[in-house]
Amino acid sequence: MRATTPLRESAPARGHLPPRPDILAPHICADGPEPTDTNAVPALRPGPRRGRWHRLRRWLGAVLVLAVLLGMLTGWRAESLVFGLPAVVLGAMLPLLLPRVPGWRLSLRGALAFALWFAVQSVRGAVDVARRAFAPDMGLRPGFRPYPLTLPQGAPRVMFANTITLLPGTLCAEIEGDMLIVHMLDTRMALEPELAALEGRIRALFALPPNPELCQ
Amino acid sequence: MLEGFGAILIAMGAVFFVAGTVGLLRFPDIFCRLHALTKADGLGLALIALGVALLAGTAGAAFRVALVWFFVAIASATCSHLIARYARHGAGGVP
């Protein structure tokens, strides 16, 4: 099963050809490295074949994930395939209809370290906010702070924004271009060191080079 | 032993849910309330899910509980971001 034709045109963006302007939207900083470059391998094959193979691999990957999910949810019963099989096949095609995002990969060691750190931080954040909720004087001085984004577009940024919400006292309120608007429960707390540390962990998680000082 | 541990985890999770609700009622504006809901309820759900997975015993049930936690965690962070953005754009009259 292959993807439908309208998607084929987006395939060359994967190689070293110039990125399509409508995919890498105006948020991207002008002088920073192009995000797809961080993961792109030298093009050994001509563009179209590579793109087709890439889409097939993406689709098969989605089929595998959905099939395992279905199996675990239904206890591997054969009769669940009546509805399950069409659902898996169609569900796996959904990512192909969405706009392309820059590719990314995870580092296993980074992921393990991140999971552990994530657990500790979510406990810290929850204990902090629970203490404030029960304290007579909640110790609030809420306000917004901007924070410049240096992570590449796509999964790393989404991960960054969502994890900020779990850190003690911070909440990702909005992303305006390359600027993140963070809401703080107490603006007297230091923001930059915490977020810079988180950024370093996200870079380790996605196997990105350590802070190349873009956009600053 | 395992049952006791699971029950303790579930009780702790309930405490965090109560804390999140108290924060929702006491905090002064919508953004502070989002802090209470995302963080305290997020950990509350994680603890309850962990306790339930311990009590459930089978790997299949534990996996299903883990899935529930995973999707709720993503949805809660995304929703709080969307609500905050909507409130910032002056959706007038949001307390």
Side-chain angles (χ1 to χ4, degrees):
Chain A
M1 184 88 203
R2 275 184 286 116
T4 47
T5 30
L7 297 154
R8 195 160 293 161
E9 52 171 343
S10 66
R14 177 80 188 157
H16 279 294
L17 298 169
R20 274 177 49 174
D22 56 325
I23 295 169
L24 300 169
H27 318 302
I28 196 79
C29 48
D31 50 349
E34 187 225 315
T36 43
D37 264 356
T38 53
N39 294 323
V41 286
L44 299 172
R45 296 180 236 206
R49 272 192 65 198
R50 185 183 149 67
R52 187 175 303 169
W53 167 237
H54 179 69
R55 277 203 312 276
L56 184 67
R57 227 177 42 181
R58 262 175 87 195
W59 184 76
L60 284 175
V63 164
L64 190 71
V65 170
L66 291 178
V68 169
L69 280 182
L70 177 79
M72 296 294 271
L73 287 175
T74 57
W76 306 102
R77 279 199 304 270
E79 61 263 36
S80 72
L81 288 178
V82 175
F83 294 103
L85 199 64
V88 165
V89 169
L90 291 174
M93 283 159 74
L94 279 181
L96 301 175
L97 299 178
L98 298 174
R100 277 190 58 83
V101 292
W104 49 273
R105 64 201 168 91
L106 291 177
S107 128
L108 187 64
R109 248 184 51 188
L112 287 177
F114 189 85
L116 199 68
W117 179 85
F118 180 90
V120 172
Q121 294 304 309
S122 56
V123 171
R124 263 187 66 207
V127 168
D128 170 74
V129 85
R131 249 195 21 236
R132 286 178 199 276
F134 289 126
D137 161 36
M138 295 178 280
L140 300 177
R141 192 172 291 184
F144 294 97
R145 287 274 186 80
Y147 184 83
L149 275 167
T150 58
L151 287 165
Q153 297 258 330
R157 276 196 186 187
V158 172
M159 194 73 188
F160 185 57
N162 281 347
T163 316
I164 285 176
T165 300
L166 276 165
L167 287 180
T170 56
L171 182 122
C172 170
E174 194 167 1
I175 299 174
E176 286 174 348
D178 282 323
M179 200 57 98
L180 201 78
I181 311 294
V182 179
H183 182 261
M184 298 183 72
L185 279 182
D186 185 350
T187 44
R188 292 163 293 188
M189 278 167 45
L191 176 70
E192 277 77 14
E194 284 246 30
L195 293 197
L198 170 59
E199 225 180 280
R201 286 177 186 277
I202 301 262
R203 282 183 191 284
L205 171 66
F206 286 100
L208 296 168
N211 197 4
E213 292 291 330
L214 22 144
C215 304
Q216 298 271 30
Chain B
M1 175 61 199
L2 210 60
E3 280 87 10
F5 194 53
I8 290 174
L9 285 176
I10 292 175
M12 279 167 60
V15 170
F16 277 102
F17 265 104
V18 171
T21 309
V22 171
L24 174 68
L25 294 172
R26 286 191 70 203
F27 284 173
D29 61 25
I30 187 169
F31 302 105
C32 295
R33 288 173 180 167
L34 282 176
H35 281 267
L37 285 184
T38 49
K39 290 195 248 287
D41 287 10
L43 183 64
L45 176 74
L47 290 172
I48 290 179
L50 210 57
V52 169
L54 280 182
L55 292 182
T58 69
F63 175 80
R64 264 164 265 178
V65 172
L67 271 188
V68 168
W69 170 79
F70 178 73
F71 286 118
V72 171
I74 291 183
S76 131
T78 310
C79 283
S80 92
H81 178 87
L82 290 177
I83 293 172
R85 192 173 70 175
Y86 184 72
R88 263 174 65 78
H89 282 256
V94 180

